[in-house]
Amino acid sequence: MAMRYRHQVYQVWQDTHLPIAAAPFLTWQKNLIQSLGNNWAEKLIANEKAMAWFNFLIGYLFFSLRLVFSPLAHLQQRLKIPPLYFWFAVVLAVAILVWLLKR
């Protein structure tokens, strides 16, 4: 939903011929938009749509990782072990387990 509104803003900004310098973008984004030429809105929209699947996969990956590691984080808090020591021990245990399974 937000992407659709953002794309509409791009179209309106381009159709009204407002200067890109006045756009609420960072300097590098303005430079990128200016390099895209006259039909920058269409190119920007096409690029965002092409990247949407990638953003979805990254979000799903981080959600899955959080789902897997949240019980460990809860265990670390309950045991009152400093996070650095706890996560070092977890990584070490996983590395040893992988090493043993590869033998």
Side-chain angles (χ1 to χ4, degrees):
M1 190 68 134
M3 187 180 351
R4 184 174 38 175
Y5 291 131
R6 188 173 57 253
H7 293 170
Q8 288 174 357
V9 168
Y10 295 161
Q11 285 296 127
V12 169
W13 200 276
Q14 180 178 312
D15 293 344
T16 56
H17 303 290
L18 293 170
I20 295 173
F25 297 125
L26 298 172
T27 303
W28 69 269
Q29 291 171 318
K30 292 177 187 179
N31 294 336
L32 174 71
I33 289 171
Q34 288 174 342
S35 72
L36 292 176
N38 291 336
N39 58 348
W40 61 268
E42 289 84 13
K43 292 177 183 175
L44 205 56
I45 291 168
N47 184 39
E48 286 186 7
K49 286 181 179 178
M51 291 299 294
W53 68 270
F54 180 72
N55 292 337
F56 174 76
L57 289 177
I58 293 296
Y60 187 73
L61 174 69
F62 281 119
F63 174 77
S64 300
L65 288 173
R66 184 174 179 169
L67 193 64
V68 167
F69 287 113
S70 64
L72 289 174
H74 183 69
L75 177 65
Q76 177 264 324
Q77 290 172 355
R78 291 206 47 165
L79 295 175
K80 295 184 170 91
I81 300 172
L84 183 65
Y85 297 139
F86 179 81
W87 291 109
F88 178 78
V90 168
V91 169
L92 185 62
V94 169
I96 291 171
L97 181 63
V98 167
W99 179 72
L100 288 173
L101 291 176
K102 287 181 82 175
R103 291 181 82 201

